[in-house]
Amino acid sequence: MRLADLAGLGRSAGLALMACMAAPQAVQAQAARPNILFILADNLGYGELGAYGGGATRGAPTPRLDRLAAEGLRLTNMNMEAQCTPSRSSILTGRFAIRSGTHSVPFGGVADGLTQWEVTLAEALSAQGYATALYGKWHLGSSNGRLPNDQGVDEWYGIPRTTDEALWTEAPGWSPEVMPPEQIMEGHKGEPSREVKVYDIAERRLMDAEITRRSIAFMEDQAEAGKPFFAYATLTQPHLPTLPNPDVAGRTGHGDWADMLAEMDHNVSQMLDAVDRLGIRDDTVVIFASDNGPEFVQPWDGWAGPWRAQYFTAWEGGIRAPFMVRWPGKIPAGRVSDEIVHGADIFPTLAVLTGAGLPHDRPIDGVDQSGFFLGGTERSAREAIPIWCAERLQTVKWRNFKVHFYEQETMVSPALKLGVPLLFNLYTNPREEKEKVAIDSWIIGPVLKVVAAFEQSVAEHPLIAMGTPDPYVPPQ
């Protein structure tokens, strides 16, 4: 959405987007490079874990994840992008996905995923001597040239796209001649990836246990070799179909969804136990997060806790996600913060903590949060987030306020462009419910500065269109 399209609101003076955010905290990289275990759940809502008000209230306590939350920093205002592909793109590139041609979950027939021109966190860490692995869901390209081992990952195993494709093999009328099934794949850097087997319902139930097993084996190998590692365990749960491992099915007595939650807690427990057993607890940054808000599709729909709506929307329920980070002796334990953070901040923050570099030839939207994470300041390094739903700049979040330029209730609802934006103070109206009188209209000023600044950056660095093939060369 262009600023000129915001009916009747005028054009604000252009400022650099970063000027709308606090200056990054300068933190020297540690002499000893920490390992990174990053566990990313798929469509886990804000309210699902015990530490966020769920757990037993969702049919299954989550004691190990709750303990992890208490062992470091737990964020209550971590914001991801509204869909799986864009959130994973912003995490790995430090750039809003609208810039990279990854603003929407792709369907067949296009060159889906990141162009090879993008620089990923895995590439930056690899250049620093890290061993890198991804096990699980990728969703940033589904053919050789755009798979994890083409983007800085030494080895990977998992699915290139998404879990709902596991339903195809049991769908009436489906045939592989009409639409080939999704394949579980594996690959190594410098080699083409290969297809391993069909990703069907049976394999869907087994996938997260295999992700856990492989992640542990990778950490064991690197610990034995004395090499720092980046283990990216991208779980497939609770994405639809939310079906637990057969070994867990029926354990809670509260159905598949609760069984899945118990399985997730168990899998995370196994990975954390491995970190302790290998004697690398104090040398390992552990992150657990979700990629966006909860499932919308019944009967697998999830829960966003106190927030409105689910993924694919700009409501808080679509973008607020659980996030916890532990680094014993570095990140203070038992800390909870409602400071605003975005998934794009993960790359620059980890770059500082590990001494990795960031590219300087493109806009990096993420900001370094290392000072905030390490307890050097109580304030986040940012105060604003533009929020896209697909290609629409739908909302801007600034401090504790939000301005919606479109209204879209669910992922299948039309996006209605508003003649007058909806304004919300999240402290007094956390459910983003309509008010008869907008008393906070002054926030339009700083919000439009954010929009204008982004437009200015796009004029200097044009967006990459979705479906752009390789090789991509940015225009001069």
Side-chain angles (χ1 to χ4, degrees):
M1 182 179 85
R2 293 192 57 78
L3 188 61
D5 293 334
L6 306 184
L9 295 180
R11 179 172 294 277
S12 183
L15 297 173
L17 181 59
M18 300 303 289
C20 297
M21 306 174 183
Q25 301 296 318
V27 177
Q28 292 184 349
Q30 304 295 317
R33 294 167 294 175
N35 307 306
I36 300 167
L37 170 60
F38 189 168
I39 306 168
L40 185 68
D42 194 2
N43 301 346
L44 182 72
Y46 182 95
E48 311 291 15
L49 305 179
Y52 287 87
T57 68
R58 297 289 282 142
T62 53
R64 195 57 188 274
L65 278 160
D66 299 346
R67 192 199 324 170
L68 175 64
E71 291 170 340
L73 170 63
R74 177 169 68 88
L75 297 182
T76 58
N77 199 356
M78 166 54 87
N79 300 264
M80 295 292 185
E81 303 216 26
Q83 303 179 34
C84 301
T85 291
S87 60
R88 291 157 195 272
S89 175
S90 64
I91 287 169
L92 284 180
T93 67
R95 287 155 49 83
F96 297 137
I98 190 72
R99 296 193 189 274
S100 306
T102 51
H103 58 66
S104 301
V105 170
F107 294 96
V110 298
D112 62 317
L114 292 169
T115 66
Q116 293 180 1
W117 177 80
E118 295 289 343
V119 177
T120 69
L121 173 60
E123 289 175 303
L125 291 173
S126 183
Q128 278 294 104
Y130 276 69
T132 58
L134 182 148
Y135 304 111
K137 173 178 170 177
W138 171 238
H139 221 180
L140 292 172
S142 54
S143 59
N144 278 303
R146 293 199 171 178
L147 293 169
N149 53 324
D150 304 304
Q151 300 282 10
V153 173
D154 293 332
E155 61 179 75
W156 84 285
Y157 175 95
I159 54 173
R161 294 186 301 277
T162 183
T163 289
D164 50 276
E165 294 184 27
L167 292 166
W168 290 358
T169 58
E170 298 186 7
W174 174 84
S175 73
E177 291 76 23
V178 175
M179 178 62 76
E182 183 168 21
Q183 297 281 335
I184 296 173
M185 303 182 72
E186 66 178 353
H188 294 81
K189 186 182 291 184
E191 303 173 4
S193 293
R194 70 180 187 91
E195 296 179 346
V196 177
K197 51 189 166 183
V198 171
Y199 188 51
D200 56 16
I201 290 295
E203 293 298 332
R204 189 275 171 279
R205 289 182 179 272
L206 301 175
M207 178 56 77
D208 279 22
E210 184 65 10
I211 292 168
T212 301
R213 185 190 71 78
R214 288 177 180 258
S215 297
I216 291 171
F218 174 75
M219 292 190 292
E220 290 172 341
D221 289 345
Q222 306 318 314
E224 182 178 357
K227 189 171 185 177
F229 62 76
F230 171 45
Y232 194 20
T234 56
L235 304 177
T236 62
Q237 298 283 20
H239 194 292
L240 74 90
T242 311
L243 301 172
N245 188 287
D247 292 341
V248 181
R251 181 170 298 178
T252 68
H254 298 131
D256 284 346
W257 214 100
D259 291 346
M260 175 284 304
L261 196 57
E263 179 191 353
M264 177 182 291
D265 195 69
H266 173 69
N267 287 333
V268 171
S269 178
Q270 286 188 299
M271 287 185 267
L272 296 178
D273 286 349
V275 169
D276 291 348
R277 174 170 47 81
L278 294 170
I280 56 174
R281 180 187 178 95
D282 292 347
D283 305 316
T284 303
V285 176
V286 176
I287 295 173
F288 179 90
S290 177
D291 59 350
N292 42 243
E295 279 288 350
F296 167 76
V297 180
Q298 296 181 348
W300 303 292
D301 49 324
W303 188 42
W307 313 112
R308 177 177 177 179
Q310 293 103 343
Y311 65 2
F312 281 72
T313 75
W315 305 113
E316 287 298 285
I319 59 172
R320 279 213 201 199
F323 181 92
M324 53 195 77
V325 55
R326 183 189 80 183
W327 189 9
K330 305 294 194 303
I331 294 176
R335 190 161 160 238
V336 180
S337 176
D338 196 55
E339 287 289 296
I340 189 170
V341 181
H342 191 275
D345 300 342
I346 294 171
F347 185 171
T349 301
L350 291 179
V352 168
L353 296 180
T354 60
L358 290 171
H360 299 293
D361 61 343
R362 66 202 67 193
I364 300 295
D365 301 296
V367 297
D368 169 25
Q369 299 283 9
S370 57
F372 170 52
F373 282 12
L374 295 174
T377 176
E378 293 298 315
R379 300 296 300 274
S380 167
R382 73 158 64 243
E383 64 178 10
I385 297 171
I387 302 165
W388 283 268
C389 289
E391 73 284 2
R392 296 182 307 280
L393 178 54
Q394 195 142 318
T395 307
V396 173
K397 187 171 177 177
W398 180 80
R399 296 184 182 175
N400 57 293
F401 298 97
K402 282 180 77 176
V403 175
H404 288 260
F405 304 117
Y406 290 80
E407 186 173 19
Q408 181 188 16
E409 188 60 33
T410 73
M411 66 181 294
V412 296
S413 303
L416 173 65
K417 184 179 176 183
L418 297 166
V420 177
L422 291 173
L423 314 179
F424 299 112
N425 182 334
L426 294 174
Y427 288 164
T428 61
N429 191 358
R431 291 285 301 171
E432 299 174 87
E433 295 169 338
K434 291 183 179 180
E435 296 176 327
K436 293 182 179 179
V437 179
I439 61 175
D440 297 316
S441 58
W442 62 270
I443 67 172
I444 289 291
V447 161
L448 291 188
K449 289 180 181 179
V450 174
V451 178
F454 183 80
E455 283 192 347
Q456 180 179 341
S457 76
V458 170
E460 298 169 0
H461 300 273
L463 305 178
I464 299 173
M466 193 169 178
T468 296
D470 288 314
Y472 169 75
V473 179
Q476 296 298 315

